[in-house]
Amino acid sequence: MPPNAGTAGQLDVFVRQLRWEADGVVSLDLAATAGKPLPSWEPGAHIDLVLPNGVERQYSLCGPPGERSYYRIGVRRERASRGGSEYVHAFLRPGQRLAIKGPRNNFGFHPAQSYVFVAGGIGITPILPMVRVAASQGADWQLYFGGRTSTSMPFLGELRGYGERVHCHPSDTIGRISLSALEKPVEAGAKVYACGPASLLSDLDTAAENWPAEALRLERFKAPQAAPAENKPIEVECAASKKTVSVGAGESIVSALEKAGIRPATSCRSGICGSCETKVLDGVPDHRDGILSASEQAAGDRMFVCVSRARTPRLVLYL
């Protein structure tokens, strides 16, 4: 069991510090209640925050890379909150206890000739540790950071310390990030790491059609909306459990598995957190997540059973 473990793989933590980072954005420093080091992590990682009201949400780690005495996350107060960000802003205070799961990393930061970072609003949180690592290594990098206003852009004061490598685009005074400015550095062999609103990531997806393969890596707040697909009944054979489960057209794979007594780890149930990643032994998945790249989807060796289905009548999964 990991250090400071609570129930069901949870870690018991408390709010060590809370700070305002921008209009509508707070950061939380979370430390282990037992005083032991938290699990190691790398840029791009996130945790599941398990709130006292039972709500569970995913937040990127944005503190100093490698720091284990505490985790830092940033939380924007959402107008249409379903109980996550609203609870954090309204009720969490220093000293309060809660739990976390993870960390997990679906947005791994890998060596490249150079880097282009693109962030919109609270999407700066997974990017910030990457910037810190790139700067500490003396790498060639640029950051394009956008938001509604400069006062709504978190960690802006810290980022300005990097000088001209950081290009700030508050849309009320400067306008949106110009993707044409990215073409030359990407052609030169850069990796592009981006996180932000769906409109920004959609524009980047379009721009990336002219970039080298696998140049773009995205961290999404929600899985992309694909064209409506017909859901047909499928059979899922669970190799480890030695059970075969029928999945109806109107239910998800994970729901059918749970009805059969098989309970994969789940959290977001929307294809973005990665907790339900499952090995595919046979059959062709119909990927509907917001995590895997095109080449990873084509490999067909893993899938996320909360949202994805099958292109074949039968799947064999390692469950």
Side-chain angles (χ1 to χ4, degrees), residues 19-27 62 73-76 119-125 128 143 145-160 168:
R19 290 177 303 277
W20 286 101
E21 301 291 355
D23 292 345
V25 179
V26 296
S27 66
C62 60
I73 60 172
V75 182
R76 180 179 296 283
I122 197 64
I124 191 62
T125 50
L128 191 56
L143 167 65
F145 183 23
R148 293 189 303 274
T149 66
S150 59
T151 58
S152 72
M153 297 166 65
F155 308 106
L156 196 55
E158 178 180 342
L159 287 167
R160 281 177 172 150
C168 295

Side-chain angles (χ1 to χ4, degrees), residues 1-140:
M1 202 174 236
N4 319 310
T7 60
Q10 296 182 2
L11 304 178
D12 296 324
V13 298
F14 69 97
V15 180
R16 191 177 82 168
Q17 189 171 7
L18 184 149
R19 290 177 303 277
W20 286 101
E21 301 291 355
D23 292 345
V25 179
V26 296
S27 66
L28 303 177
D29 288 358
L30 305 171
T33 55
K36 296 180 181 179
L38 292 162
S40 60
W41 63 281
E42 295 181 351
H46 70 270
I47 58 171
D48 297 349
L49 191 67
V50 185
L51 296 167
N53 64 350
V55 170
E56 192 171 316
R57 295 289 183 267
Q58 292 75 45
Y59 296 102
S60 297
L61 296 178
C62 60
E67 177 62 62
R68 297 179 61 191
S69 64
Y70 69 95
Y71 288 157
R72 179 172 296 167
I73 60 172
V75 182
R76 180 179 296 283
R77 194 171 201 166
E78 301 291 346
R79 297 187 184 95
S81 172
R82 294 174 295 148
S85 70
E86 179 63 27
Y87 189 96
V88 168
H89 279 255
F91 300 110
L92 285 190
R93 296 294 182 267
Q96 187 162 356
R97 294 192 175 200
L98 58 161
I100 62 172
K101 296 178 183 177
R104 291 191 300 275
N105 199 335
N106 306 313
F107 193 40
F109 183 53
H110 302 293
Q113 294 180 31
S114 59
Y115 301 98
V116 177
F117 303 113
V118 184
I122 197 64
I124 191 62
T125 50
I127 299 296
L128 191 56
M130 297 182 182
V131 167
R132 291 188 179 117
V133 169
S136 69
Q137 293 177 346
D140 180 13

